[in-house]
C-alpha cells in the first residue's frame, strides 16, 4: 500500500515525495469551549496557495468548511490554525 494515496492529512504525516507542495510537520486538533481548533505547521512550502479544511462524519464523504491562505513559498516553519465552530 502506498501511504501517499488518498490518505487524509489528519491521519498521515510523513515523507511522500512530490505528493504535496508542502512538508507538514505537525497537525493537532483540540476541543475547547465547543470549538475545535486545528493547528498545523509546515517545514517548507513551494507555490502553495491555500489549505482547504474539510469535515467528515464517516471518513469517506467530506465537505469543505473553510480555507486558510498559505504563505506560498517558504523554507522555514510556518504555523496555521482554523477554528471549527460547528
Amino acid at each position: 500500500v502506498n501511504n501517499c494515496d488518498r490518505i487524509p492529512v489528519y491521519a498521515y504525516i510523513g515523507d511522500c515525495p512530490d505528493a504535496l507542495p508542502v512538508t507538514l510537520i505537525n497537525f493537532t486538533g483540540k476541543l475547547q469551549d465547543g470549538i475545535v481548533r486545528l493547528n498545523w505547521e509546515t517545514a517548507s512550502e513551494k507555490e502553495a496557495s491555500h489549505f482547504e479544511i474539510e469535515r467528515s462524519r464517516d471518513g469517506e464523504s467530506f465537505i469543505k468548511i473553510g480555507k486558510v491562505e498559505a504563505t506560498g513559498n517558504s523554507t522555514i516553519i510556518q504555523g496555521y490554525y482554523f477554528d471549527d465552530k460547528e
Side-chain angles (χ1 to χ4, degrees), residues 5-49:
D5 292 337
R6 303 289 299 155
I7 295 178
V9 71
Y10 64 81
Y12 181 78
I13 297 175
D15 192 19
C16 292
D18 301 323
L20 295 173
V22 301
T23 301
L24 185 67
I25 57 172
N26 186 31
F27 185 88
T28 60
K30 184 176 181 181
L31 176 63
Q32 185 173 351
D33 299 323
I35 297 172
V36 175
R37 164 131 323 169
L38 305 175
N39 288 286
W40 65 97
E41 293 178 319
T42 62
S44 66
E45 299 178 22
K46 182 179 178 185
E47 299 177 16
S49 65

